[in-house]
Amino acid sequence: MRPRVMTVYGTRPEAIKVAPLVAAIDASDVLEGTTVVTGQHREMLDQVNEVFGIVPDHDLDVMSHGQSLSHLFARVLERLDPVLESVRPDAVVVQGDTSTSTAAALAAFHRRIPVVHLEAGLRSGDLHSPFPEEANRRLTSRLAALHLAPTAGSRENLLTEGVPATDVVVTGNTVIDALLDVVARPVSFRDAEVSRAVDGDGDLLLVTAHRRESWGEGMRGIGRALATLATRRPDLTIVLPAHRNPQVRAAVLPAVEGLANVLVVEPLAYAEFAHLTHRSTVVLTDSGGVQEEAPSLGKPVLVMRENTERPEAVTAGTVRLVGTDPDRIVAEVDRLLSDREAYASMARATNPYGDGHAAVRGVAAIEHLLGVGTRRPDLGG
């Protein structure tokens, strides 16, 4: 009987990053796969599953309106445990740094099931930023039996914390596998204004903002920066897929209301967002995953945070931290749009996050963990 590997995920970023691994598990000659979604992001999660043809075997449907992080965590534990008892997997894969990933890792640990942590070893150095992600990823590392680290830097973080070297594999990031797959496919944009912007030939600034630690004045600063850029540069198109959190919208959107060259749209399906990133001139974001995706497409990334758990791209020169001060955001965007040499130095920097084969390395490591295969060499090894 082939070992069974259960993959548990709940948010859109998790779904994107586990999709290549789920496909590689299904393609394995020696493993059986089971997928469980928690529904931490409902609509956006379903969209990504549809793009990659994933039909979950179990849906825990944990979300309820206004619930706290603790309530969410408790519901994942409560609803996943009977599934673990019924399926009895030989390993459980979790991804990244969400409440879903840490709660699922703890549920598996309670049943003495080995935990595989995909995208392991990321660290910002500040337990409270990003919040609660930094704490989640550190907690998950303490529970994992196998750490699939995206970069050599992530591996070093784990070794520094005492994780045995034999338990860490540098795979690259599966987000690159997913991105390269999706941008090679054609896409149709549901929003006509976005479609026209993509088909145009002017500069396009893609903006995403949602970080909890920036709620309030930080988000208001982002809104003021976008308004200044739009006013100064009427030929610049700014596309802002607005996060659905009411606090984010209330802080950012009033500043850009009525500006014709700011397109405020609903969150885009993953394939649309990937193609919009490909078309953009500069990406302004506070997202973690976008810091990995955009450099793979040759796009300079300005990160509206004071620190990042993904320092490799900063070191490589394709990502720059700009915080949420509106004057600094405006100055950095202006610099890239006005200075061709500065733009080229970021756009041509080497992306450190992988070669599109992370999932293959990850599955080989899981097969080795379960005694049915051998590891592949680490990325860059």
Side-chain angles (χ1 to χ4, degrees), residues 6 8 36-38 58-60 62 73-89 92 100 103-113:
M6 176 183 288
V8 185
V36 179
V37 296
T38 65
H58 304 272
D59 188 336
L60 306 184
V62 299
F73 198 98
R75 293 189 84 179
V76 173
L77 279 172
E78 179 183 33
R79 296 190 180 187
L80 180 58
D81 190 62
V83 178
L84 293 172
E85 183 177 21
S86 173
V87 176
R88 297 185 180 275
V92 170
T100 284
L106 183 59
F109 178 79
H110 284 164
R111 288 193 171 271
R112 298 184 179 273
I113 300 168

PDB file of all heavy atoms in Angstrom, residues 6 8 36-38 58-60 62 73-89 92 100 103-113:
ATOM      1  N   MET A   6      -1.297  13.867   2.999  1.00  0.00           N
ATOM      2  CA  MET A   6      -2.413  14.807   3.075  1.00  0.00           C
ATOM      3  C   MET A   6      -1.872  16.230   3.006  1.00  0.00           C
ATOM      4  O   MET A   6      -0.982  16.598   3.772  1.00  0.00           O
ATOM      5  CB  MET A   6      -3.192  14.610   4.379  1.00  0.00           C
ATOM      6  CG  MET A   6      -4.324  15.634   4.581  1.00  0.00           C
ATOM      7  SD  MET A   6      -5.169  15.424   6.175  1.00  0.00           S
ATOM      8  CE  MET A   6      -6.079  13.907   5.865  1.00  0.00           C
ATOM      9  N   VAL A   8      -2.915  20.165   3.476  1.00  0.00           N
ATOM     10  CA  VAL A   8      -3.943  20.993   4.114  1.00  0.00           C
ATOM     11  C   VAL A   8      -3.635  22.460   3.822  1.00  0.00           C
ATOM     12  O   VAL A   8      -2.513  22.918   4.061  1.00  0.00           O
ATOM     13  CB  VAL A   8      -3.990  20.769   5.641  1.00  0.00           C
ATOM     14  CG1 VAL A   8      -5.148  21.561   6.256  1.00  0.00           C
ATOM     15  CG2 VAL A   8      -4.126  19.285   5.970  1.00  0.00           C
ATOM     16  N   VAL A  36      -7.113  18.657   1.666  1.00  0.00           N
ATOM     17  CA  VAL A  36      -8.071  19.192   2.633  1.00  0.00           C
ATOM     18  C   VAL A  36      -7.980  20.710   2.589  1.00  0.00           C
ATOM     19  O   VAL A  36      -6.887  21.266   2.724  1.00  0.00           O
ATOM     20  CB  VAL A  36      -7.770  18.704   4.065  1.00  0.00           C
ATOM     21  CG1 VAL A  36      -8.764  19.300   5.053  1.00  0.00           C
ATOM     22  CG2 VAL A  36      -7.792  17.182   4.130  1.00  0.00           C
ATOM     23  N   VAL A  37      -9.107  21.394   2.396  1.00  0.00           N
ATOM     24  CA  VAL A  37      -9.124  22.854   2.482  1.00  0.00           C
ATOM     25  C   VAL A  37      -9.895  23.265   3.725  1.00  0.00           C
ATOM     26  O   VAL A  37     -10.850  22.603   4.128  1.00  0.00           O
ATOM     27  CB  VAL A  37      -9.748  23.510   1.226  1.00  0.00           C
ATOM     28  CG1 VAL A  37      -8.905  23.228  -0.006  1.00  0.00           C
ATOM     29  CG2 VAL A  37     -11.176  23.076   1.005  1.00  0.00           C
ATOM     30  N   THR A  38      -9.435  24.361   4.330  1.00  0.00           N
ATOM     31  CA  THR A  38     -10.130  24.881   5.510  1.00  0.00           C
ATOM     32  C   THR A  38     -11.117  25.983   5.143  1.00  0.00           C
ATOM     33  O   THR A  38     -12.002  26.299   5.928  1.00  0.00           O
ATOM     34  CB  THR A  38      -9.132  25.448   6.538  1.00  0.00           C
ATOM     35  OG1 THR A  38      -8.475  26.580   5.975  1.00  0.00           O
ATOM     36  CG2 THR A  38      -8.117  24.386   6.946  1.00  0.00           C
ATOM     37  N   HIS A  58     -11.720  17.026   1.107  1.00  0.00           N
ATOM     38  CA  HIS A  58     -12.425  17.418   2.325  1.00  0.00           C
ATOM     39  C   HIS A  58     -12.409  18.946   2.424  1.00  0.00           C
ATOM     40  O   HIS A  58     -11.395  19.584   2.114  1.00  0.00           O
ATOM     41  CB  HIS A  58     -11.756  16.832   3.574  1.00  0.00           C
ATOM     42  CG  HIS A  58     -11.627  15.341   3.545  1.00  0.00           C
ATOM     43  ND1 HIS A  58     -12.612  14.493   4.004  1.00  0.00           N
ATOM     44  CD2 HIS A  58     -10.624  14.542   3.094  1.00  0.00           C
ATOM     45  CE1 HIS A  58     -12.220  13.238   3.853  1.00  0.00           C
ATOM     46  NE2 HIS A  58     -11.016  13.242   3.304  1.00  0.00           N
ATOM     47  N   ASP A  59     -13.524  19.524   2.862  1.00  0.00           N
ATOM     48  CA  ASP A  59     -13.634  20.975   3.032  1.00  0.00           C
ATOM     49  C   ASP A  59     -14.130  21.233   4.451  1.00  0.00           C
ATOM     50  O   ASP A  59     -15.262  20.887   4.804  1.00  0.00           O
ATOM     51  CB  ASP A  59     -14.614  21.553   2.010  1.00  0.00           C
ATOM     52  CG  ASP A  59     -14.627  23.074   1.990  1.00  0.00           C
ATOM     53  OD1 ASP A  59     -14.272  23.690   3.009  1.00  0.00           O
ATOM     54  OD2 ASP A  59     -15.019  23.640   0.959  1.00  0.00           O
ATOM     55  N   LEU A  60     -13.286  21.857   5.272  1.00  0.00           N
ATOM     56  CA  LEU A  60     -13.620  22.079   6.678  1.00  0.00           C
ATOM     57  C   LEU A  60     -14.496  23.309   6.892  1.00  0.00           C
ATOM     58  O   LEU A  60     -15.134  23.421   7.940  1.00  0.00           O
ATOM     59  CB  LEU A  60     -12.330  22.224   7.506  1.00  0.00           C
ATOM     60  CG  LEU A  60     -11.306  21.091   7.383  1.00  0.00           C
ATOM     61  CD1 LEU A  60     -10.133  21.336   8.342  1.00  0.00           C
ATOM     62  CD2 LEU A  60     -11.935  19.742   7.636  1.00  0.00           C
ATOM     63  N   VAL A  62     -14.219  26.569   7.737  1.00  0.00           N
ATOM     64  CA  VAL A  62     -14.048  27.045   9.112  1.00  0.00           C
ATOM     65  C   VAL A  62     -14.439  28.512   9.331  1.00  0.00           C
ATOM     66  O   VAL A  62     -14.567  28.950  10.478  1.00  0.00           O
ATOM     67  CB  VAL A  62     -12.575  26.886   9.568  1.00  0.00           C
ATOM     68  CG1 VAL A  62     -12.166  25.425   9.546  1.00  0.00           C
ATOM     69  CG2 VAL A  62     -11.645  27.741   8.725  1.00  0.00           C
ATOM     70  N   PHE A  73      -8.223  29.460  14.670  1.00  0.00           N
ATOM     71  CA  PHE A  73      -7.239  28.419  14.983  1.00  0.00           C
ATOM     72  C   PHE A  73      -7.925  27.219  15.631  1.00  0.00           C
ATOM     73  O   PHE A  73      -7.686  26.057  15.261  1.00  0.00           O
ATOM     74  CB  PHE A  73      -6.185  29.011  15.913  1.00  0.00           C
ATOM     75  CG  PHE A  73      -4.904  28.241  15.986  1.00  0.00           C
ATOM     76  CD1 PHE A  73      -3.809  28.629  15.235  1.00  0.00           C
ATOM     77  CD2 PHE A  73      -4.769  27.146  16.823  1.00  0.00           C
ATOM     78  CE1 PHE A  73      -2.604  27.931  15.309  1.00  0.00           C
ATOM     79  CE2 PHE A  73      -3.592  26.442  16.905  1.00  0.00           C
ATOM     80  CZ  PHE A  73      -2.494  26.845  16.142  1.00  0.00           C
ATOM     81  N   ALA A  74      -8.810  27.503  16.587  1.00  0.00           N
ATOM     82  CA  ALA A  74      -9.500  26.433  17.304  1.00  0.00           C
ATOM     83  C   ALA A  74     -10.404  25.626  16.369  1.00  0.00           C
ATOM     84  O   ALA A  74     -10.496  24.389  16.490  1.00  0.00           O
ATOM     85  CB  ALA A  74     -10.318  27.016  18.454  1.00  0.00           C
ATOM     86  N   ARG A  75     -11.062  26.302  15.437  1.00  0.00           N
ATOM     87  CA  ARG A  75     -11.964  25.587  14.525  1.00  0.00           C
ATOM     88  C   ARG A  75     -11.194  24.678  13.570  1.00  0.00           C
ATOM     89  O   ARG A  75     -11.656  23.585  13.237  1.00  0.00           O
ATOM     90  CB  ARG A  75     -12.817  26.580  13.734  1.00  0.00           C
ATOM     91  CG  ARG A  75     -13.805  27.345  14.594  1.00  0.00           C
ATOM     92  CD  ARG A  75     -14.769  28.150  13.746  1.00  0.00           C
ATOM     93  NE  ARG A  75     -15.890  27.328  13.306  1.00  0.00           N
ATOM     94  CZ  ARG A  75     -16.892  27.780  12.561  1.00  0.00           C
ATOM     95  NH1 ARG A  75     -16.892  29.048  12.147  1.00  0.00           N
ATOM     96  NH2 ARG A  75     -17.881  27.001  12.222  1.00  0.00           N
ATOM     97  N   VAL A  76     -10.007  25.123  13.132  1.00  0.00           N
ATOM     98  CA  VAL A  76      -9.196  24.251  12.285  1.00  0.00           C
ATOM     99  C   VAL A  76      -8.808  22.998  13.057  1.00  0.00           C
ATOM    100  O   VAL A  76      -8.921  21.868  12.548  1.00  0.00           O
ATOM    101  CB  VAL A  76      -7.942  24.986  11.774  1.00  0.00           C
ATOM    102  CG1 VAL A  76      -7.024  24.015  11.030  1.00  0.00           C
ATOM    103  CG2 VAL A  76      -8.325  26.149  10.862  1.00  0.00           C
ATOM    104  N   LEU A  77      -8.338  23.169  14.291  1.00  0.00           N
ATOM    105  CA  LEU A  77      -7.980  22.017  15.119  1.00  0.00           C
ATOM    106  C   LEU A  77      -9.166  21.064  15.293  1.00  0.00           C
ATOM    107  O   LEU A  77      -9.049  19.843  15.114  1.00  0.00           O
ATOM    108  CB  LEU A  77      -7.502  22.489  16.494  1.00  0.00           C
ATOM    109  CG  LEU A  77      -6.071  22.978  16.637  1.00  0.00           C
ATOM    110  CD1 LEU A  77      -5.868  23.588  18.009  1.00  0.00           C
ATOM    111  CD2 LEU A  77      -5.086  21.836  16.414  1.00  0.00           C
ATOM    112  N   GLU A  78     -10.302  21.627  15.636  1.00  0.00           N
ATOM    113  CA  GLU A  78     -11.483  20.822  15.941  1.00  0.00           C
ATOM    114  C   GLU A  78     -11.979  20.059  14.713  1.00  0.00           C
ATOM    115  O   GLU A  78     -12.340  18.873  14.811  1.00  0.00           O
ATOM    116  CB  GLU A  78     -12.589  21.736  16.464  1.00  0.00           C
ATOM    117  CG  GLU A  78     -13.882  21.008  16.798  1.00  0.00           C
ATOM    118  CD  GLU A  78     -14.970  21.971  17.246  1.00  0.00           C
ATOM    119  OE1 GLU A  78     -15.011  23.120  16.750  1.00  0.00           O
ATOM    120  OE2 GLU A  78     -15.776  21.568  18.097  1.00  0.00           O
ATOM    121  N   ARG A  79     -11.987  20.708  13.554  1.00  0.00           N
ATOM    122  CA  ARG A  79     -12.577  20.083  12.370  1.00  0.00           C
ATOM    123  C   ARG A  79     -11.596  19.193  11.600  1.00  0.00           C
ATOM    124  O   ARG A  79     -12.024  18.287  10.885  1.00  0.00           O
ATOM    125  CB  ARG A  79     -13.156  21.161  11.452  1.00  0.00           C
ATOM    126  CG  ARG A  79     -14.306  21.903  12.115  1.00  0.00           C
ATOM    127  CD  ARG A  79     -15.052  22.800  11.162  1.00  0.00           C
ATOM    128  NE  ARG A  79     -16.142  23.494  11.864  1.00  0.00           N
ATOM    129  CZ  ARG A  79     -17.054  24.250  11.266  1.00  0.00           C
ATOM    130  NH1 ARG A  79     -17.015  24.419   9.951  1.00  0.00           N
ATOM    131  NH2 ARG A  79     -18.003  24.835  11.978  1.00  0.00           N
ATOM    132  N   LEU A  80     -10.295  19.463  11.745  1.00  0.00           N
ATOM    133  CA  LEU A  80      -9.330  18.626  11.038  1.00  0.00           C
ATOM    134  C   LEU A  80      -9.092  17.308  11.751  1.00  0.00           C
ATOM    135  O   LEU A  80      -8.858  16.279  11.110  1.00  0.00           O
ATOM    136  CB  LEU A  80      -7.999  19.389  10.889  1.00  0.00           C
ATOM    137  CG  LEU A  80      -6.876  18.641  10.173  1.00  0.00           C
ATOM    138  CD1 LEU A  80      -7.295  18.226   8.765  1.00  0.00           C
ATOM    139  CD2 LEU A  80      -5.610  19.501  10.133  1.00  0.00           C
ATOM    140  N   ASP A  81      -9.158  17.296  13.067  1.00  0.00           N
ATOM    141  CA  ASP A  81      -8.791  16.088  13.810  1.00  0.00           C
ATOM    142  C   ASP A  81      -9.597  14.854  13.391  1.00  0.00           C
ATOM    143  O   ASP A  81      -9.010  13.780  13.182  1.00  0.00           O
ATOM    144  CB  ASP A  81      -8.934  16.335  15.312  1.00  0.00           C
ATOM    145  CG  ASP A  81      -8.334  15.204  16.118  1.00  0.00           C
ATOM    146  OD1 ASP A  81      -7.115  14.971  16.002  1.00  0.00           O
ATOM    147  OD2 ASP A  81      -9.085  14.522  16.842  1.00  0.00           O
ATOM    148  N   PRO A  82     -10.942  14.942  13.229  1.00  0.00           N
ATOM    149  CA  PRO A  82     -11.653  13.748  12.776  1.00  0.00           C
ATOM    150  C   PRO A  82     -11.266  13.280  11.382  1.00  0.00           C
ATOM    151  O   PRO A  82     -11.316  12.073  11.081  1.00  0.00           O
ATOM    152  CB  PRO A  82     -13.130  14.160  12.810  1.00  0.00           C
ATOM    153  CG  PRO A  82     -13.204  15.513  13.387  1.00  0.00           C
ATOM    154  CD  PRO A  82     -11.829  16.050  13.563  1.00  0.00           C
ATOM    155  N   VAL A  83     -10.862  14.224  10.524  1.00  0.00           N
ATOM    156  CA  VAL A  83     -10.408  13.840   9.185  1.00  0.00           C
ATOM    157  C   VAL A  83      -9.092  13.087   9.276  1.00  0.00           C
ATOM    158  O   VAL A  83      -8.888  12.074   8.597  1.00  0.00           O
ATOM    159  CB  VAL A  83     -10.269  15.090   8.287  1.00  0.00           C
ATOM    160  CG1 VAL A  83      -9.757  14.698   6.903  1.00  0.00           C
ATOM    161  CG2 VAL A  83     -11.587  15.825   8.164  1.00  0.00           C
ATOM    162  N   LEU A  84      -8.195  13.560  10.134  1.00  0.00           N
ATOM    163  CA  LEU A  84      -6.943  12.842  10.350  1.00  0.00           C
ATOM    164  C   LEU A  84      -7.199  11.437  10.888  1.00  0.00           C
ATOM    165  O   LEU A  84      -6.555  10.465  10.467  1.00  0.00           O
ATOM    166  CB  LEU A  84      -6.049  13.613  11.322  1.00  0.00           C
ATOM    167  CG  LEU A  84      -5.502  14.958  10.847  1.00  0.00           C
ATOM    168  CD1 LEU A  84      -4.799  15.676  11.991  1.00  0.00           C
ATOM    169  CD2 LEU A  84      -4.551  14.777   9.677  1.00  0.00           C
ATOM    170  N   GLU A  85      -8.141  11.325  11.802  1.00  0.00           N
ATOM    171  CA  GLU A  85      -8.471  10.008  12.370  1.00  0.00           C
ATOM    172  C   GLU A  85      -9.027   9.074  11.309  1.00  0.00           C
ATOM    173  O   GLU A  85      -8.714   7.885  11.277  1.00  0.00           O
ATOM    174  CB  GLU A  85      -9.469  10.169  13.508  1.00  0.00           C
ATOM    175  CG  GLU A  85      -9.818   8.858  14.199  1.00  0.00           C
ATOM    176  CD  GLU A  85     -10.748   9.053  15.377  1.00  0.00           C
ATOM    177  OE1 GLU A  85     -11.439  10.092  15.429  1.00  0.00           O
ATOM    178  OE2 GLU A  85     -10.780   8.169  16.248  1.00  0.00           O
ATOM    179  N   SER A  86      -9.845   9.617  10.414  1.00  0.00           N
ATOM    180  CA  SER A  86     -10.476   8.790   9.383  1.00  0.00           C
ATOM    181  C   SER A  86      -9.504   8.401   8.268  1.00  0.00           C
ATOM    182  O   SER A  86      -9.428   7.238   7.869  1.00  0.00           O
ATOM    183  CB  SER A  86     -11.659   9.546   8.776  1.00  0.00           C
ATOM    184  OG  SER A  86     -12.189   8.866   7.674  1.00  0.00           O
ATOM    185  N   VAL A  87      -8.733   9.382   7.772  1.00  0.00           N
ATOM    186  CA  VAL A  87      -7.854   9.132   6.628  1.00  0.00           C
ATOM    187  C   VAL A  87      -6.564   8.443   7.044  1.00  0.00           C
ATOM    188  O   VAL A  87      -6.017   7.628   6.305  1.00  0.00           O
ATOM    189  CB  VAL A  87      -7.546  10.465   5.906  1.00  0.00           C
ATOM    190  CG1 VAL A  87      -6.544  10.259   4.767  1.00  0.00           C
ATOM    191  CG2 VAL A  87      -8.836  11.092   5.384  1.00  0.00           C
ATOM    192  N   ARG A  88      -6.060   8.780   8.222  1.00  0.00           N
ATOM    193  CA  ARG A  88      -4.804   8.230   8.743  1.00  0.00           C
ATOM    194  C   ARG A  88      -3.640   8.415   7.756  1.00  0.00           C
ATOM    195  O   ARG A  88      -3.009   7.445   7.315  1.00  0.00           O
ATOM    196  CB  ARG A  88      -4.953   6.753   9.119  1.00  0.00           C
ATOM    197  CG  ARG A  88      -5.958   6.516  10.231  1.00  0.00           C
ATOM    198  CD  ARG A  88      -6.022   5.067  10.675  1.00  0.00           C
ATOM    199  NE  ARG A  88      -6.993   4.891  11.734  1.00  0.00           N
ATOM    200  CZ  ARG A  88      -6.752   5.085  13.030  1.00  0.00           C
ATOM    201  NH1 ARG A  88      -5.541   5.470  13.411  1.00  0.00           N
ATOM    202  NH2 ARG A  88      -7.695   4.904  13.935  1.00  0.00           N
ATOM    203  N   PRO A  89      -3.313   9.650   7.406  1.00  0.00           N
ATOM    204  CA  PRO A  89      -2.216   9.876   6.465  1.00  0.00           C
ATOM    205  C   PRO A  89      -0.869   9.537   7.083  1.00  0.00           C
ATOM    206  O   PRO A  89      -0.710   9.534   8.309  1.00  0.00           O
ATOM    207  CB  PRO A  89      -2.332  11.374   6.173  1.00  0.00           C
ATOM    208  CG  PRO A  89      -2.938  11.947   7.419  1.00  0.00           C
ATOM    209  CD  PRO A  89      -3.917  10.904   7.885  1.00  0.00           C
ATOM    210  N   VAL A  92       1.586  14.899   6.681  1.00  0.00           N
ATOM    211  CA  VAL A  92       0.710  16.043   6.423  1.00  0.00           C
ATOM    212  C   VAL A  92       1.572  17.204   5.947  1.00  0.00           C
ATOM    213  O   VAL A  92       2.544  17.575   6.614  1.00  0.00           O
ATOM    214  CB  VAL A  92      -0.081  16.449   7.676  1.00  0.00           C
ATOM    215  CG1 VAL A  92      -0.790  17.788   7.471  1.00  0.00           C
ATOM    216  CG2 VAL A  92      -1.102  15.372   8.028  1.00  0.00           C
ATOM    217  N   THR A 100      -4.160  28.500   9.278  1.00  0.00           N
ATOM    218  CA  THR A 100      -4.421  27.149   8.782  1.00  0.00           C
ATOM    219  C   THR A 100      -3.184  26.281   8.897  1.00  0.00           C
ATOM    220  O   THR A 100      -3.241  25.143   9.401  1.00  0.00           O
ATOM    221  CB  THR A 100      -4.884  27.190   7.316  1.00  0.00           C
ATOM    222  OG1 THR A 100      -6.250  27.620   7.252  1.00  0.00           O
ATOM    223  CG2 THR A 100      -4.774  25.815   6.652  1.00  0.00           C
ATOM    224  N   ALA A 103      -2.172  25.567  12.703  1.00  0.00           N
ATOM    225  CA  ALA A 103      -3.161  24.725  13.381  1.00  0.00           C
ATOM    226  C   ALA A 103      -3.151  23.308  12.819  1.00  0.00           C
ATOM    227  O   ALA A 103      -3.238  22.322  13.570  1.00  0.00           O
ATOM    228  CB  ALA A 103      -4.556  25.337  13.233  1.00  0.00           C
ATOM    229  N   ALA A 104      -3.025  23.176  11.495  1.00  0.00           N
ATOM    230  CA  ALA A 104      -2.980  21.845  10.889  1.00  0.00           C
ATOM    231  C   ALA A 104      -1.732  21.095  11.314  1.00  0.00           C
ATOM    232  O   ALA A 104      -1.769  19.873  11.564  1.00  0.00           O
ATOM    233  CB  ALA A 104      -3.043  21.961   9.361  1.00  0.00           C
ATOM    234  N   ALA A 105      -0.604  21.805  11.407  1.00  0.00           N
ATOM    235  CA  ALA A 105       0.625  21.162  11.869  1.00  0.00           C
ATOM    236  C   ALA A 105       0.472  20.659  13.296  1.00  0.00           C
ATOM    237  O   ALA A 105       0.907  19.550  13.635  1.00  0.00           O
ATOM    238  CB  ALA A 105       1.789  22.150  11.770  1.00  0.00           C
ATOM    239  N   LEU A 106      -0.170  21.449  14.151  1.00  0.00           N
ATOM    240  CA  LEU A 106      -0.368  21.031  15.535  1.00  0.00           C
ATOM    241  C   LEU A 106      -1.316  19.837  15.621  1.00  0.00           C
ATOM    242  O   LEU A 106      -1.073  18.892  16.390  1.00  0.00           O
ATOM    243  CB  LEU A 106      -0.909  22.197  16.356  1.00  0.00           C
ATOM    244  CG  LEU A 106      -1.097  21.935  17.859  1.00  0.00           C
ATOM    245  CD1 LEU A 106       0.223  21.526  18.504  1.00  0.00           C
ATOM    246  CD2 LEU A 106      -1.677  23.171  18.547  1.00  0.00           C
ATOM    247  N   ALA A 107      -2.370  19.851  14.813  1.00  0.00           N
ATOM    248  CA  ALA A 107      -3.307  18.717  14.810  1.00  0.00           C
ATOM    249  C   ALA A 107      -2.600  17.432  14.389  1.00  0.00           C
ATOM    250  O   ALA A 107      -2.810  16.360  14.984  1.00  0.00           O
ATOM    251  CB  ALA A 107      -4.476  19.025  13.876  1.00  0.00           C
ATOM    252  N   ALA A 108      -1.744  17.522  13.357  1.00  0.00           N
ATOM    253  CA  ALA A 108      -1.002  16.344  12.912  1.00  0.00           C
ATOM    254  C   ALA A 108      -0.002  15.901  13.983  1.00  0.00           C
ATOM    255  O   ALA A 108       0.131  14.700  14.264  1.00  0.00           O
ATOM    256  CB  ALA A 108      -0.273  16.658  11.605  1.00  0.00           C
ATOM    257  N   PHE A 109       0.672  16.869  14.590  1.00  0.00           N
ATOM    258  CA  PHE A 109       1.637  16.546  15.641  1.00  0.00           C
ATOM    259  C   PHE A 109       0.969  15.811  16.801  1.00  0.00           C
ATOM    260  O   PHE A 109       1.522  14.856  17.350  1.00  0.00           O
ATOM    261  CB  PHE A 109       2.301  17.837  16.133  1.00  0.00           C
ATOM    262  CG  PHE A 109       3.271  17.633  17.255  1.00  0.00           C
ATOM    263  CD1 PHE A 109       4.549  17.159  17.011  1.00  0.00           C
ATOM    264  CD2 PHE A 109       2.898  17.909  18.574  1.00  0.00           C
ATOM    265  CE1 PHE A 109       5.442  16.979  18.059  1.00  0.00           C
ATOM    266  CE2 PHE A 109       3.785  17.726  19.611  1.00  0.00           C
ATOM    267  CZ  PHE A 109       5.061  17.259  19.363  1.00  0.00           C
ATOM    268  N   HIS A 110      -0.233  16.254  17.171  1.00  0.00           N
ATOM    269  CA  HIS A 110      -0.957  15.590  18.255  1.00  0.00           C
ATOM    270  C   HIS A 110      -1.217  14.119  17.958  1.00  0.00           C
ATOM    271  O   HIS A 110      -1.322  13.299  18.870  1.00  0.00           O
ATOM    272  CB  HIS A 110      -2.289  16.305  18.499  1.00  0.00           C
ATOM    273  CG  HIS A 110      -2.138  17.597  19.238  1.00  0.00           C
ATOM    274  ND1 HIS A 110      -3.129  18.558  19.281  1.00  0.00           N
ATOM    275  CD2 HIS A 110      -1.110  18.105  19.971  1.00  0.00           C
ATOM    276  CE1 HIS A 110      -2.719  19.592  19.990  1.00  0.00           C
ATOM    277  NE2 HIS A 110      -1.503  19.338  20.424  1.00  0.00           N
ATOM    278  N   ARG A 111      -1.333  13.791  16.681  1.00  0.00           N
ATOM    279  CA  ARG A 111      -1.566  12.390  16.293  1.00  0.00           C
ATOM    280  C   ARG A 111      -0.283  11.695  15.838  1.00  0.00           C
ATOM    281  O   ARG A 111      -0.322  10.629  15.234  1.00  0.00           O
ATOM    282  CB  ARG A 111      -2.637  12.322  15.199  1.00  0.00           C
ATOM    283  CG  ARG A 111      -4.022  12.631  15.748  1.00  0.00           C
ATOM    284  CD  ARG A 111      -5.127  12.265  14.759  1.00  0.00           C
ATOM    285  NE  ARG A 111      -6.428  12.377  15.422  1.00  0.00           N
ATOM    286  CZ  ARG A 111      -7.030  11.400  16.089  1.00  0.00           C
ATOM    287  NH1 ARG A 111      -6.434  10.206  16.185  1.00  0.00           N
ATOM    288  NH2 ARG A 111      -8.197  11.573  16.667  1.00  0.00           N
ATOM    289  N   ARG A 112       0.857  12.326  16.116  1.00  0.00           N
ATOM    290  CA  ARG A 112       2.171  11.755  15.801  1.00  0.00           C
ATOM    291  C   ARG A 112       2.332  11.479  14.304  1.00  0.00           C
ATOM    292  O   ARG A 112       2.966  10.498  13.898  1.00  0.00           O
ATOM    293  CB  ARG A 112       2.441  10.496  16.629  1.00  0.00           C
ATOM    294  CG  ARG A 112       2.464  10.755  18.131  1.00  0.00           C
ATOM    295  CD  ARG A 112       2.825   9.514  18.915  1.00  0.00           C
ATOM    296  NE  ARG A 112       2.858   9.783  20.350  1.00  0.00           N
ATOM    297  CZ  ARG A 112       3.909  10.238  21.012  1.00  0.00           C
ATOM    298  NH1 ARG A 112       5.041  10.487  20.373  1.00  0.00           N
ATOM    299  NH2 ARG A 112       3.849  10.455  22.323  1.00  0.00           N
ATOM    300  N   ILE A 113       1.760  12.338  13.492  1.00  0.00           N
ATOM    301  CA  ILE A 113       1.903  12.245  12.040  1.00  0.00           C
ATOM    302  C   ILE A 113       2.988  13.232  11.616  1.00  0.00           C
ATOM    303  O   ILE A 113       2.933  14.409  11.981  1.00  0.00           O
ATOM    304  CB  ILE A 113       0.579  12.592  11.332  1.00  0.00           C
ATOM    305  CG1 ILE A 113      -0.528  11.629  11.771  1.00  0.00           C
ATOM    306  CG2 ILE A 113       0.749  12.553   9.810  1.00  0.00           C
ATOM    307  CD1 ILE A 113      -1.923  12.074  11.345  1.00  0.00           C
TER     308      ILE A 113
END
